[in-house]
Amino acid sequence: MALILVVLLFQCKKPGADVAHKLIKIDSIPVLENHVTSDTIMTTAKLDEFKNDVINKGDNYSFSMLSIELHAQNKFDELLKYSLIMGNQFKKGDGFNEAFLCMVALHNNNVYEDISDFEKIPEDAKETALNYLEKGVALGDINSASMLQEIYRKGIGVKVNVKKADELKKLIEKQ
């Protein structure tokens, strides 16, 4: 969030202008007053629109925007629901990839930094999370295949399985 504010500060300041910036909160997101275009703030109405588009249409763009926002708010439990809708109902592999990330975060104090966080979660959660990646792979999601390949090749939270990692690598190369 701090990075976004820094970027906004630099983008909003015009050359030669000495503009004072005042921070305000909109929908509990700090923004620069009078210097933010509407597409930089996720309003409640827009968030609801994205949720409805995911539920009713399986819309990829809406899912991406929803994912970005819910990640930023650390609402992985809510994001997991929409991820499973995308995967199960609309057969979108990226939904299962996102479900994997949510499972890891939910069992790691609401944090997902990288694939190594998978090692830290309980065994039953690992089984569920791996199942999500497998489902993503079955639907042709290259990100799910890539993550699963890395998990097996490096033995992240599982025993090293080079054979399975190589199979996944071949699958990735075909796409």
Side-chain angles (χ1 to χ4, degrees), residues 94-107:
D94 58 334
F96 287 120
N97 185 64
E98 193 66 46
F100 168 83
L101 299 176
C102 290
M103 283 297 294
V104 173
L106 287 169
H107 290 90

Side-chain angles (χ1 to χ4, degrees), residues 3-173:
L3 178 62
I4 293 170
L5 288 174
V6 171
V7 170
L8 288 173
L9 277 171
F10 285 106
Q11 287 180 341
C12 294
K13 189 165 181 170
K14 294 181 173 95
D18 191 19
V19 180
H21 298 285
K22 178 181 172 190
L23 281 176
I24 61 171
K25 285 194 173 194
I26 298 177
D27 285 346
S28 71
I29 301 170
V31 296
L32 298 170
E33 186 176 33
N34 299 324
H35 299 283
V36 178
T37 58
S38 62
D39 64 342
T40 60
I41 302 170
M42 182 75 69
T43 63
T44 302
K46 195 65 174 170
L47 193 59
D48 289 343
E49 179 184 327
F50 290 144
K51 289 176 182 179
N52 286 329
D53 284 349
V54 167
I55 292 169
N56 297 317
K57 302 175 193 172
D59 183 69
N60 289 328
Y61 175 76
S62 296
F63 179 63
S64 294
M65 296 305 293
L66 186 60
S67 177
I68 291 167
E69 183 63 20
L70 295 177
H71 267 274
Q73 295 180 22
N74 290 329
K75 292 186 176 180
F76 295 103
D77 53 342
E78 186 174 358
L79 180 54
L80 179 60
K81 293 185 292 189
Y82 293 100
S83 300
L84 293 175
I85 288 170
M86 289 296 285
N88 289 320
Q89 185 174 333
F90 295 101
K91 305 302 180 206
K92 307 272 177 105
D94 58 334
F96 287 120
N97 185 64
E98 193 66 46
F100 168 83
L101 299 176
C102 290
M103 283 297 294
V104 173
L106 287 169
H107 290 90
N108 190 39
N109 298 315
N110 245 13
V111 173
Y112 180 88
E113 291 180 10
D114 59 42
I115 194 76
S116 68
D117 289 337
F118 177 68
E119 276 185 310
K120 303 172 189 174
I121 68 174
E123 289 303 315
D124 60 334
K126 281 182 190 172
E127 185 178 328
T128 301
L130 284 175
N131 187 31
Y132 290 148
L133 286 182
E134 292 283 357
K135 287 180 177 184
V137 170
L139 291 172
D141 182 58
I142 196 163
N143 292 322
S144 294
S146 180
M147 291 181 94
L148 198 55
Q149 186 233 168
E150 185 175 357
I151 287 169
Y152 284 119
R153 185 162 315 282
K154 295 181 180 177
I156 301 171
V158 298
K159 290 182 182 179
V160 171
N161 188 336
V162 176
K163 181 180 176 185
K164 193 161 191 167
D166 287 345
E167 289 171 6
L168 289 161
K169 183 179 179 183
K170 287 178 187 175
L171 184 67
I172 292 166
E173 289 171 349

